[in-house]
Amino acid sequence: MSKICQITGKKAMVGNNVSHSKRRTKRKFNVNLFTKKFYWVEEDCWISLTISAAGLRTINKKGLNAAIKDAAEKGYLGA
């Protein structure tokens, strides 16, 4: 399972840990991902999505059908 949100397309970023003496070492900023099941009324089925917290807010704002349609147009769903 890749660490990419299926709604927003967010993925891990790379940055630096900066110590007090300003030494820099590489680190990853991971996305707040979780797997959640949704009931898709238009298709009359349950779907399981790997989404971020921002993706969940997008679904709450737009609705599941509109969010999936936008994600499919942008190529985030992979289906």
Side-chain angles (χ1 to χ4, degrees):
M1 180 180 95
S2 61
K3 296 180 180 180
I4 299 175
C5 176
Q6 291 181 315
I7 296 296
T8 61
K10 289 185 175 218
K11 52 186 170 182
M13 295 174 60
V14 177
N16 289 316
N17 272 331
V18 182
S19 70
H20 185 69
S21 63
K22 302 293 191 280
R23 285 183 62 106
R24 288 164 169 85
T25 56
K26 286 292 189 183
R27 65 160 290 186
K28 264 191 174 178
F29 291 95
N30 288 319
V31 185
N32 185 12
L33 285 182
F34 46 92
T35 304
K36 186 151 176 62
K37 288 177 97 172
F38 294 97
Y39 183 70
W40 196 2
V41 178
E42 286 78 7
E43 297 290 325
D44 192 34
C45 64
W46 286 91
I47 58 170
S48 181
L49 294 174
T50 303
I51 59 170
S52 62
L56 185 60
R57 288 195 301 271
T58 302
I59 289 173
N60 286 337
K61 183 177 180 181
K62 291 182 176 180
L64 182 62
N65 200 36
I68 288 176
K69 183 181 171 197
D70 289 347
E73 286 176 359
K74 293 178 181 174
Y76 298 146
L77 268 166

